[in-house]
Amino acid sequence: MFAAIKEQHKGVDVCINNAGLAHPEPLINGKTSGWRNMMDVNILGLCICTREAYQSMKERNVDDGHIININSICGHCVIPHADTHFYSATKYAVTALTEGLRQELRAENKHIRATSISPTLVETEFTLRLYSNNPDIAAYALEAIDISSAVTYVLSAPPHVQIGDIQLRGTEEVS
């Protein structure tokens, strides 16, 4: 993927890590394969894309790039829904990885910014699949445009402003 980006566009200036995966695999009886799959997508995939985006910026002397991780509110609190506890652990990792990236970029004396955008449920196939037994959940879900608006906001911040994390919840959401 990054080779094609380099060939077609010279490289990456902005990377938005938006891949995310959840399986209903509780901690006390979940399947290892489901946990591994979530780790591979939610953590390892994000780290690989982050590394490759940074390397692309570094080799082209891009010092004003941005890496945005689409996280989850589950990266900040554990909701009382057993099927999402392992997923929450992967998203807590994204929270830590975003801050770790910010620290590493600072240590490298780079002005590349790192941001985590943490929405609650978003009306997507992901949410509908995970909560198929609760069709009323969509009433509290954000829309995809809400997330893209947050991305636009982050990217429009002045170069001297580091937005570390944005948490997005619906105004009608209970918790």
Side-chain angles (χ1 to χ4, degrees), residues 27 38 51 113 164 172:
L27 297 173
M38 285 185 271
R51 178 191 65 206
R113 295 178 279 179
E172 299 297 318

Side-chain angles (χ1 to χ4, degrees), residues 34-109:
W35 294 341
R36 186 170 285 121
N37 189 223
M38 285 185 271
M39 295 275 290
D40 285 348
V41 172
N42 299 354
I43 299 172
L44 191 57
L46 177 136
C47 289
I48 292 168
C49 289
T50 296
R51 178 191 65 206
E52 296 304 311
Y54 172 73
Q55 292 302 323
S56 174
M57 292 177 207
K58 183 179 174 183
E59 73 183 30
R60 295 175 303 108
N61 295 314
V62 171
D63 197 37
D64 61 347
H66 210 128
I67 298 171
I68 299 173
N69 295 327
I70 305 299
N71 195 350
S72 170
I73 204 70
C74 290
H76 303 274
C77 62
V78 179
I79 60 172
H81 185 60
D83 284 351
T84 64
H85 290 158
F86 192 89
Y87 169 78
S88 290
T90 69
K91 292 305 184 172
Y92 265 86
V94 171
T95 300
L97 290 166
T98 305
E99 174 57 18
L101 174 62
R102 187 196 67 77
Q103 291 178 16
E104 288 184 34
L105 292 168
R106 176 107 171 107
E108 291 289 314
N109 206 23

Side-chain angles (χ1 to χ4, degrees), residues 124-142:
T124 62
E125 288 180 24
F126 175 94
T127 299
L128 297 174
R129 186 175 55 253
L130 190 60
Y131 293 98
S132 60
N133 61 343
N134 189 352
D136 294 331
I137 205 77
Y140 300 109
L142 298 172

